[in-house]
Amino acid sequence: AQAIVTIFDSIAPTVLVQNITVALDSFGLASISVNDINNGTWDSCGVDSTFISLDSFNCGNVGSNIIWFYATDIYGNIDSAVATVSVIDTIAPTVLVQNITVALDTTGNANITPADVDNGSWDSCGIATTIVSLDSFDCANIGANSIWFYATDVNGNIDSAIVTVTIIDTIAPIVLVQNITVALDSFGSANILVSDINNGSWDSCGIDTSYLSLDTFNCGNVGNNSIWLIATDVNGNTDSAQAIVTLID
């Protein structure tokens, strides 16, 4: 008698996977394929198809990601396994800077922030912090100063660029004077000095020169004489003030 024997396959594929590490590109993206996770999956009758539960990653996936690998044999049996995809960010920020000019204040000081020299620095995953190597300046920094600008992204990658901070002094000296009385000598003459008129003139970066508009007198000057004390600081800024020299005989 004849009998019919029905053969069927109920054995699912043997799924073998491997954990992998993937680096984001400069756009903050990464992709993987089934072959990246497959580690020799097989089936005695043949594997028909494989797929993974997630194949695209971005900055939000930095770290460990659990995904599923599925395999189906030619008879429809399916099995799966878990794999870990570690996503890393190794791309440093793109650092863009601009040179700036900063004027000292009346105390001879100036301060800057990283934002002052940043010119649109960016990172696909985002910049966490920015710093500069020098942010405080004084009279000793007059002129061009090369400093470093550093940017660190949210995943710890860092890059830097040199930027020039030009410090200028635009503040004129503070000229303080006092009125004086001077007597002619036996020859009908009198001379005065800057120190006779100066009453504590100062400049945060220092006064370089000072002089009087008139420092020699004679009989024709008896009475009140208006003169000027002119002071110039070390950076070329000038100011003046008027004083009265009363000449007596």
Side-chain angles (χ1 to χ4, degrees):
Q2 188 179 35
I4 296 174
V5 178
T6 300
I7 304 298
F8 62 93
D9 177 11
S10 63
I11 306 298
T14 298
V15 178
L16 303 173
V17 296
Q18 60 187 352
N19 300 327
I20 63 171
T21 298
V22 181
L24 297 175
D25 61 20
S26 59
F27 299 101
L29 303 171
S31 298
I32 64 172
S33 68
V34 168
N35 292 334
D36 296 322
I37 300 299
N38 191 6
N39 194 28
T41 298
W42 63 279
D43 186 86
S44 55
C45 291
V47 174
D48 180 51
S49 63
T50 56
F51 69 95
I52 49 181
S53 59
L54 182 64
D55 61 6
S56 296
F57 304 87
N58 57 34
C59 296
N61 301 113
V62 170
S64 296
N65 300 268
I66 302 300
I67 69 169
W68 287 88
F69 176 93
Y70 299 89
T72 305
D73 68 17
I74 59 177
Y75 293 112
N77 299 298
I78 188 170
D79 203 356
S80 61
V82 170
T84 299
V85 177
S86 297
V87 177
I88 59 174
D89 174 18
T90 62
I91 307 295
T94 298
V95 176
L96 303 172
V97 294
Q98 59 187 352
N99 299 328
I100 61 172
T101 298
V102 181
L104 297 176
D105 61 20
T106 55
T107 67
N109 294 288
N111 294 282
I112 65 169
T113 67
D116 295 324
V117 295
D118 188 8
N119 195 29
S121 301
W122 66 278
D123 185 87
S124 56
C125 290
I127 291 177
T129 60
T130 56
I131 60 172
V132 287
S133 59
L134 183 65
D135 60 6
S136 298
F137 304 87
D138 58 27
C139 297
N141 302 114
I142 292 291
N145 300 267
S146 293
I147 69 170
W148 286 90
F149 173 89
Y150 299 90
T152 304
D153 70 17
V154 295
N155 295 308
N157 301 298
I158 188 170
D159 204 356
S160 59
I162 291 178
V163 62
T164 299
V165 178
T166 301
I167 301 298
I168 60 174
D169 174 18
T170 62
I171 307 297
I174 304 298
V175 180
L176 303 172
V177 296
Q178 59 189 350
N179 300 327
I180 62 172
T181 297
V182 179
L184 293 173
D185 61 19
S186 60
F187 299 100
S189 298
N191 293 283
I192 63 172
L193 302 173
V194 168
S195 57
D196 296 323
I197 300 298
N198 189 11
N199 193 28
S201 300
W202 65 278
D203 184 88
S204 56
C205 290
I207 292 178
D208 182 43
T209 60
S210 55
Y211 65 95
L212 300 172
S213 60
L214 182 64
D215 59 5
T216 301
F217 304 87
N218 55 36
C219 296
N221 300 115
V222 170
N224 291 332
N225 300 268
S226 294
I227 68 167
W228 291 88
L229 171 62
I230 299 98
T232 303
D233 69 16
V234 294
N235 296 306
N237 302 295
T238 298
D239 204 357
S240 60
Q242 192 175 40
I244 302 297
V245 177
T246 301
L247 195 66
I248 61 174
D249 179 7

